[in-house]
Amino acid sequence: MISSIPKWVGNLFEGALRPNMKVIETSYIRRRIKLVRFQGDIAKMDFQIGYANVIRVSETELRNYTVALCDTKNGILDFLFHIHGNGVGSEYIDTLEVNDEVYISPPRGKRLFSPEIKQQLFFGDETSIGIACSALPVLKKNKHQYHFFFELGDENRDVPQLLEIDNVTVFSKKETFRNELWVRDLSIFQTPDWKQASFVLTGNVKSVQTFRKVLKDKTIGKIRAQGYWLEGKKGL
Ligand SMILES: Cc1cc2nc3c(=O)[nH]c(=O)nc-3n(C[C@H](O)[C@H](O)[C@H](O)COP(=O)(O)OP(=O)(O)OC[C@H]3O[C@@H](n4cnc5c(N)ncnc54)[C@H](O)[C@@H]3O)c2cc1C
């Protein structure tokens, strides 16, 4: 996915990339997790679990984010942003306030959800809280057996609870999903129910890769994986 554009391309497509959504509400769930509500014309946008929208975060930079809630009737989109403090996107989102205008692309990307499977496990970190919020009502409505695994910074441990996400296990980032032997020991692998589950892996690329490898080695479930960010790499 494109994350930066040369200035001349930006100038050429200035019309297409001009602000189309207005900020109508912002709040911090925790200091580093920001909820922003946008309003605009989203009638033609097709939202699917796993799709992402590109947000223009500077003259030349675009970043991917996942809708947490979509209210097509009222033209409202909520996003949950990890204000990690290391990048232009995070810094820009941190400054957003009511009445700011922003360019948000139509959603596109990978469909990560397999509704035909009863057991659903979603894994991710702070960047995956948005996809969890968008999936939750669907999982409840379809009466799926679902569970969320989050690896979170200590200061964000209670964010799933504050957002009323249930069936959650929170892991510390120190535990860690980057250690294959540790992942192999997760208790979920002892429960036969989860052998046929759908696993949706998002968030830190290294964690996603490690978890995916263990699942593949154990030939468990149907795996859908998409790394959302990689240490040292700008914009994925
Ligand atoms: C399909 C998709 C959906 C996504 N949905 C969301 C979403 O809903 N909410 C959300 O917050 N993010 C989401 N992301 C992740 C987000 O796009 C990245 O975190 C992005 O790198 C942020 O841009 P930036 O300009 O802040 O940092 P960049 O300029 O891209 O990176 C600068 C530095 O910051 C580091 N960095 C990037 N992200 C993080 C992080 N989360 N924690 C710590 N260090 C980081 C990078 O490794 C790099 O060293 C999604 C990504 C993808 C691909």
Side-chain angles (χ1 to χ4, degrees):
M1 294 184 204
I2 295 176
S3 61
S4 56
I5 43 171
K7 201 160 180 291
W8 67 268
V9 177
N11 291 341
L12 200 64
F13 291 101
E14 197 50 54
L17 297 175
R18 71 172 182 273
N20 57 343
M21 301 289 291
K22 190 182 256 193
V23 176
I24 58 163
E25 223 176 291
T26 71
S27 60
Y28 284 86
I29 309 296
R30 280 281 171 247
R31 170 61 193 100
R32 297 201 167 274
I33 306 290
K34 185 170 183 178
L35 173 68
V36 183
R37 173 161 290 184
F38 298 92
Q39 193 168 36
D41 182 3
I42 56 169
K44 294 202 180 105
M45 293 191 184
D46 170 30
F47 293 91
Q48 303 289 337
I49 295 170
Y51 277 12
N53 301 64
V54 156
I55 299 186
R56 189 178 190 183
V57 296
S58 79
E59 205 176 2
T60 56
E61 301 287 323
L62 305 160
R63 293 290 182 269
N64 282 290
Y65 296 100
T66 317
V67 162
L69 179 145
C70 161
D71 171 357
T72 312
K73 200 167 135 243
N74 296 303
I76 283 172
L77 297 180
D78 283 357
F79 288 85
L80 282 156
F81 298 101
H82 185 207
I83 310 298
H84 58 85
N86 299 322
V88 60
S90 157
E91 278 160 27
Y92 170 75
I93 301 289
D94 203 11
T95 66
L96 282 183
E97 26 182 74
V98 171
N99 287 331
D100 283 346
E101 294 189 324
V102 177
Y103 170 75
I104 303 183
S105 79
R108 78 279 173 273
K110 273 191 188 178
R111 285 185 193 222
L112 297 177
F113 181 49
S114 310
E116 71 286 0
I117 299 178
K118 185 164 171 54
Q119 286 85 13
Q120 300 274 337
L121 187 126
F122 281 69
F123 166 76
D125 63 8
E126 284 86 351
T127 60
S128 317
I129 298 173
I131 189 176
C133 288
S134 69
L136 188 61
V138 180
L139 297 170
K140 282 188 190 290
K141 189 168 163 244
N142 292 356
K143 297 197 170 22
H144 282 293
Q145 188 183 335
Y146 61 89
H147 203 93
F148 295 94
F149 275 5
F150 288 113
E151 57 168 355
L152 298 175
D154 293 343
E155 67 286 9
N156 299 321
R157 283 192 76 86
D158 60 350
V159 170
Q161 192 194 338
L162 292 171
L163 292 168
E164 297 180 1
I165 303 175
D166 60 355
N167 299 338
V168 173
T169 306
V170 175
F171 298 89
S172 160
K173 285 190 176 168
K174 293 165 204 145
E175 274 174 326
T176 108
F177 277 91
R178 287 154 228 188
N179 175 347
E180 206 181 305
L181 292 175
W182 181 87
V183 178
R184 282 182 186 280
D185 275 348
L186 285 171
S187 58
I188 195 156
F189 297 125
Q190 269 80 60
T191 44
D193 265 10
W194 290 89
K195 286 239 182 304
Q196 309 301 327
S198 157
F199 289 82
V200 178
L201 315 180
T202 60
N204 179 283
V205 167
K206 287 202 178 129
S207 299
V208 166
Q209 284 172 343
T210 313
F211 201 171
R212 183 167 187 265
K213 179 168 188 306
V214 173
L215 289 169
K216 284 206 140 190
D217 287 352
K218 289 181 181 277
T219 57
I220 280 185
K222 180 166 178 177
I223 311 161
R224 294 260 187 265
Q226 182 162 33
Y228 279 3
W229 68 279
L230 175 63
E231 276 139 47
K233 170 103 173 56
K234 280 189 183 182
L236 272 197

